[in-house]
Amino acid sequence: MKINKLPRTKKELVNLFKRDVATSYIGRNPFFESLRERSYTKKQLQMAFAAFAHYRSLFSIFLGQMILRLPIETEEWGAAGLNLAEEYGYGKLGESHGILYANFLRSMGLKVKHGFIIAEELRKMPKCAENFKRRFVGFIARAPLPAIIGMSAAYELLDSPEAKPQRIALQKYGFRDLRYFTEHEVEGAHFSKYNAGQLAQYWHNPKNRKTIILGFRKIYEIQDKFYRELHEFAMSF
């Protein structure tokens, strides 16, 4: 993420982030390029999304860690809790993101046992997901609060831009059980607006701004590396 000078407003920061996501990140990352060009074989595609299952299963853990780091009963603490509830379908088990993703994996021809969300073809967490976990957890553990707020907002801003090109590409490949991705397109936009409100509160204090930008830069870097390594993993098959 390239920021040559400190953005004057929170809106300017968000717009710069969205621009870089569309051009340098999703626009040029080999994983998204290969999806758009339909250059993956069926086996490569299956293994890429089997690996993605491990990556997405970590999100609930990260939300729990954020809840532990955030001040109790504040708006940002509640937002993380609400996001965690949304991951589990607000109490409706069949609506949880894990179940929706397991259904998608089965539609790809992969085996997922009842009560599990990981494909039998890839039970062990691949290196790309392990690296993502190490980078994400390491940053949350030591980052100051404004950086975590920035990271959380940036992560949600990525939800819809990442889910949409995946859904479009998978439709072109002929897959139909894509509710996991359509849900993230809609819910990602919802939580982006919610996080924008929290971000504004912290951005109001000029002392927080450089630290908030650090959070934005870090999630951009972590996500970009994950998808590059995910592409390398897929290409090994």
Side-chain angles (χ1 to χ4, degrees), residues 7 18 59 105 124 149 198 202 222:
K18 287 181 176 179
F59 186 53
L105 290 179
K124 183 180 178 181
I149 295 297
Q198 301 169 54
Y202 281 82
I222 290 172

Side-chain angles (χ1 to χ4, degrees), residues 199-223:
L199 183 62
Q201 294 179 36
Y202 281 82
W203 187 265
H204 185 70
N205 184 345
K207 293 181 180 180
N208 290 335
R209 292 176 186 175
K210 287 186 178 180
T211 314
I212 287 171
I213 291 170
L214 171 64
F216 268 74
R217 281 196 173 117
K218 197 64 181 179
I219 196 61
Y220 181 98
E221 172 192 319
I222 290 172
Q223 288 293 100

Side-chain angles (χ1 to χ4, degrees), residues 1-4 13-28 158 220 224:
M1 180 182 174
K2 298 176 182 177
I3 297 180
N4 297 322
L13 169 63
V14 169
N15 287 338
L16 285 169
F17 182 74
K18 287 181 176 179
R19 179 204 64 191
D20 280 4
V21 166
T23 55
S24 301
Y25 168 28
I26 291 177
R28 297 178 188 172
L158 285 174
Y220 181 98
D224 187 51

Side-chain angles (χ1 to χ4, degrees), residues 40-228:
Y40 286 132
T41 65
K42 182 180 179 180
K43 179 68 172 179
Q44 289 170 340
L45 200 66
Q46 286 176 321
M47 297 312 292
F49 283 97
F52 190 90
H54 289 272
Y55 155 81
R56 65 141 308 277
S57 71
L58 295 169
F59 186 53
S60 296
I61 298 172
F62 298 151
L63 284 173
Q65 289 177 326
M66 284 185 186
I67 290 170
L68 292 174
R69 285 293 316 272
L70 295 168
I72 294 175
E73 298 299 344
T74 57
E75 185 178 1
E76 54 270 24
W77 183 82
L82 183 62
N83 204 341
L84 187 59
E86 178 251 339
E87 279 290 308
Y88 289 96
Y90 298 106
K92 297 178 182 178
L93 184 59
E95 301 292 308
S96 76
H97 288 178
I99 297 296
L100 295 181
Y101 198 81
N103 292 339
F104 161 65
L105 290 179
R106 292 187 186 101
S107 77
M108 296 187 84
L110 296 171
K111 297 177 183 177
V112 184
K113 289 183 179 179
H114 179 70
F116 291 83
I117 57 172
I118 301 298
E120 289 295 298
E121 290 83 351
L122 187 64
R123 294 295 303 275
K124 183 180 178 181
M125 183 175 289
K127 192 73 174 177
C128 55
E130 287 181 355
N131 289 341
F132 171 82
K133 181 180 180 181
R134 173 178 51 79
R135 293 168 187 143
F136 202 110
V137 171
F139 184 77
I140 291 176
R142 65 178 184 273
L145 183 57
I148 293 175
I149 295 297
M151 188 182 203
S152 176
Y155 205 12
E156 292 301 330
L157 284 167
L158 285 174
D159 222 7
S160 187
E162 287 181 353
K164 186 176 181 178
Q166 290 182 67
R167 174 187 59 77
I168 291 172
L170 288 164
Q171 282 178 328
K172 291 179 178 178
Y173 270 100
F175 297 106
R176 292 291 175 263
D177 196 343
L178 302 175
R179 188 179 165 198
Y180 171 85
F181 301 95
T182 56
E183 289 284 320
H184 278 76
E185 285 184 63
V186 175
E187 290 168 351
H190 166 71
F191 278 101
S192 292
K193 291 178 182 178
Y194 198 86
N195 276 290
Q198 301 169 54
L199 183 62
Q201 294 179 36
Y202 281 82
W203 187 265
H204 185 70
N205 184 345
K207 293 181 180 180
N208 290 335
R209 292 176 186 175
K210 287 186 178 180
T211 314
I212 287 171
I213 291 170
L214 171 64
F216 268 74
R217 281 196 173 117
K218 197 64 181 179
I219 196 61
Y220 181 98
E221 172 192 319
I222 290 172
Q223 288 293 100
D224 187 51
K225 284 182 178 178
F226 166 71
Y227 280 110
R228 289 179 184 278

